[in-house]
């Protein structure tokens, strides 16, 4: 590796990542958080391998702004690729520094020393030195350098091998989830979310609401919530308040439908335009695909706990981005970042921007009215679907022009979609509650994710096939009245469906087998190989029964990472109306 990982450059000291305690434990601190993907185990395996310590001696702290390095958002399938490399480098640096001190004590060469189960060996023979005895005399507050080379892959025995998911028992017993946290003096809060972003709580008799058993009403502009020492009282009060809200008028054209997307004005940008000139007319094949709003539908609703102690705010959350949440809360509350701590606790797994950040803001706003009392807020299922960010609706058209030999000469892909990310950050406290406050923070207009960061609406809209003329355009629409944000793969899956559907149509028009046709358009050997492997495993093309058809799909993650091909035998779509 020619340079250190970006996170190591930002947090260059070994002790920002690795610590050794007197009781024979090793601590790993990481800014990447556990959201069900198993990285709490994977990161410990990586560190244990580099240090030469048994996995059972490893502990990990993740996503605690008080002690962990800031590694940005846990997203994009990069927790091991980036977070793991940072931990590997730090652990390798710790091993080198500790063994350098051992070599001095033993009057030996560092290359003659190794570590097994934390014990230092000299030429394969145990010494009386351990990593922990050495750590008493070695300062790990030193920078990680390129000289701190990790072990060669062949020397690793823990990382990449099977290990027991020792976190599962605690999950099954409800000992790790934020929903199960109990704190002394804790009270329960519930927000009263209106049906639409632009509506308020008019029609709710707040005096009658406050008169309910044990209930305290929290109001700030149009932000409305209830607090109660007993959770059932808070739930009953919020249900009563919701029953008093006036229902909204249904739209003649459902928002998020292809018709509603094209009815909104948007800004169109050309993402890719190769080939001169690009044919705009002529015979060809095309596909039109669309999707509605998508909800996360997590098995557990969003939850947070907040505590104001004097001027200090502490928030426990299952956010994917504790440092960005900390900065966004500071902007929302007009409170110094240095007086805010955000601590990750596990919740229902999610892949995208769900309600975790929003419920944390709700909890902080409620807790501000009862200093010294922890406030636990759990969203209802209605909140999850009506107030949480939703995956963006999209409409994608792909058009392909075929040459005399039946090959695709040109492809035009046009994507229409609202933005795919409104995650809160230091300059954009885009919480559900933000616009409801009496003194709302400044919120910049939502922007789609730029192509340099993987893209949002246009992700995977550029065909991977060898096509001389390619044009990709995206039109970003806004003001749908519903918040849209990141959800797994962003625009990728719909765009791949559009491209793959038009490739099927092109193969059919050319009278060729769809797999052979795709491979003929690919010079990338890995792309060809993954299609060949998938079709071989499926024994493509088997004879099909009446009413069945073969389907084939090919893509690459963000068009730059892992390759994937799927061959499946499926019921043939009905032609009946």
């Amino acid at each position: 590796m020619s340079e250190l990982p970006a996170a190591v450059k930002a947090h260059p000291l070994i002790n920002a990542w690795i610590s050794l305690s007197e009781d024979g434990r090793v601590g790993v601190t990481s800014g990447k958080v556990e959201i069900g993907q198993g990285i709490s185990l994977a990161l410990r395996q990586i560190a244990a391998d580099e240090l030469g310590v048994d996995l059972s001696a490893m502990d990990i702290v993740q996503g605690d702004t008080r002690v962990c390095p800031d590694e940005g958002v846990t997203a994009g399938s990069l927790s091991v690729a980036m977070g793991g490399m940072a931990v590997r480098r730090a652990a390798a640096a710790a091993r080198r520094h500790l063994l350098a001190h051992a070599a001095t004590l033993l009057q030996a060469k560092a290359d003659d020393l190794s570590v097994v189960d934390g014990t230092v060996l000299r030429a394969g023979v145990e010494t009386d030195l351990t990593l922990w005895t050495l750590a008493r005399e070695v300062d790990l507050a030193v920078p990680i350098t390129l000289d701190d080379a990790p072990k060669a892959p062949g020397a690793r025995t823990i990382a990449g091998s099977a290990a027991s998911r020792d976190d599962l028992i605690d999950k099954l017993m409800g000992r790790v989830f934020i929903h199960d946290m109990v704190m002394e003096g804790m009270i329960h809060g519930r927000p009263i979310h209106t049906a639409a972003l632009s509506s308020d709580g008019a029609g709710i008799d707040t005096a009658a609401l406050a008169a309910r058993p044990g209930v305290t009403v929290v109001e700030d502009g149009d932000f409305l919530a209830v607090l109660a020492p007993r959770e059932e009282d808070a739930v009953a009060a919020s249900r009563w308040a919701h029953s008093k809200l006036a229902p909204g008028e249904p739209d003649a054209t459902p928002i998020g439908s292809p018709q509603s997307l094209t009815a909104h004005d948007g800004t169109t940008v050309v993402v890719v335009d190769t080939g001169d000139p690009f044919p705009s007319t002529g015979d060809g094949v095309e596909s039109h695909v669309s999707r509605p709003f998508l909800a996360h539908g997590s098995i557990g609703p969003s939850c947070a706990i907040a505590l104001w102690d004097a001027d200090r705010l502490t928030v426990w959350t299952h956010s994917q981005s504790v440092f960005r949440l900390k900065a966004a809360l500071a902007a929302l509350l007009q409170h110094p970042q240095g007086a805010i701590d955000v601590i990750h606790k596990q919740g229902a797994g999610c892949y995208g921007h769900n309600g975790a950040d929003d419920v944390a803001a709700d909890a902080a706003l409620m807790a501000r009215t009862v200093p010294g009392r922890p406030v636990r807020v759990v969203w209802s299922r209605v909140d999850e679907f009506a107030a949480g960010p939703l995956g963006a609706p999209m409409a994608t058209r792909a058009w392909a022009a075929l040459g005399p030999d039946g090959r695709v000469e040109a492809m035009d892909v046009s994507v229409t979609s609202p933005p795919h990310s409104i995650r809160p950050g230091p300059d954009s406290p885009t919480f559900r509650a933000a616009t409801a406050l009496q003194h709302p923070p400044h919120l910049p207009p939502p922007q789609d994710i730029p192509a340099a960061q993987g893209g949002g609406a246009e992700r995977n809209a550029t065909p991977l096939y060898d096509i001389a003329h390619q044009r990709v355009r995206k039109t970003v629409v806004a003001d749908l009245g519903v918040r849209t944000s990141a959800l797994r793969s962003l625009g990728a899956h719909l765009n791949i469906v559009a491209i793959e559907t038009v490739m099927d149509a092109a193969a059919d028009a050319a009278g060729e087998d769809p797999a052979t046709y795709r491979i003929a358009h690919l010079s990338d050997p890995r792309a060809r190989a993954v299609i060949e492997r998938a079709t071989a495993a499926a024994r493509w093309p088997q004879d099909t029964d009446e009413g069945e058809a073969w389907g084939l799909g090919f893509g690459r993650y963000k068009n730059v990472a892992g390759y994937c091909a799927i061959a499946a035998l499926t019921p043939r779509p009905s032609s009946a109306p």
Side-chain angles (χ1 to χ4, degrees), residues 74-356:
T74 301
S77 302
L78 297 172
S79 297
V80 171
M82 297 180 68
M85 185 53 71
V87 167
R88 185 182 298 285
R89 282 283 181 175
R95 172 171 48 82
R96 186 173 80 89
H97 280 271
L98 293 167
L99 286 184
H101 185 59
T104 300
L105 296 176
L106 296 170
Q107 296 185 349
K109 295 181 179 179
D111 290 345
D112 292 336
L113 304 181
S114 58
V115 184
V116 175
D117 290 343
T119 298
V120 178
L121 278 61
R122 179 180 184 179
V125 179
E126 285 191 11
T127 69
D128 61 353
L129 298 177
T130 70
L131 295 182
W132 295 276
T133 57
L134 293 168
R136 297 172 192 161
E137 303 173 3
V138 176
D139 184 8
L140 293 181
V142 293
I144 302 163
T145 70
L146 284 173
D147 292 333
D148 301 317
K151 292 180 178 178
R156 298 169 190 162
T157 59
I158 302 174
S161 59
S164 172
R165 284 290 301 270
D166 52 4
D167 59 326
L168 294 182
I169 294 298
D170 284 339
K171 289 181 177 179
L172 292 170
M173 300 302 293
R175 291 193 288 252
V176 297
F177 294 118
I178 187 170
H179 305 72
D180 301 307
M181 282 183 64
V182 177
M183 301 178 68
E184 184 177 354
M186 187 169 72
I187 57 178
H188 302 274
R190 292 293 186 276
I192 313 300
H193 288 131
T194 53
L197 291 173
S198 58
S199 59
D200 57 33
I204 298 177
D205 185 344
T206 54
L209 184 60
R212 296 183 65 86
V215 169
T216 299
V217 173
V218 178
E219 284 188 274
D220 184 336
D222 290 329
F223 176 79
L224 183 63
V226 292
L227 296 171
R230 296 174 61 88
E231 185 173 13
E232 58 267 35
D233 291 337
V235 171
S238 67
R239 288 177 177 170
W240 179 88
H242 276 104
S243 72
K244 305 302 180 184
L245 291 172
E249 292 296 325
D251 291 330
T253 302
I255 57 173
S257 66
Q259 295 83 358
S260 74
L261 289 178
T262 55
H264 281 77
D265 292 331
T267 301
T268 300
V269 296
V270 177
V271 180
V272 172
D273 194 356
T274 62
D276 185 23
F278 189 90
S280 58
T281 60
D283 295 334
V285 292
E286 66 180 345
S287 67
H288 293 261
V289 296
S290 63
R291 76 181 196 193
F293 287 104
L294 300 176
H296 290 270
S298 298
I299 195 171
S302 301
C303 177
I305 298 174
L307 169 66
W308 285 87
D309 187 0
D311 287 331
R312 188 160 207 89
L313 170 65
T314 303
V315 175
W316 293 264
T317 173
H318 55 110
S319 169
Q320 291 175 267
S321 181
V322 292
F323 285 93
R324 285 180 61 90
L325 175 57
K326 173 178 176 172
L329 287 172
L332 177 76
L333 302 165
Q334 294 298 294
H335 198 68
Q337 276 198 57
I340 300 176
D341 298 318
V342 178
I343 303 167
H344 183 266
K345 295 289 290 185
Q346 292 190 50
C350 101
Y351 292 92
H353 175 200
N354 65 355

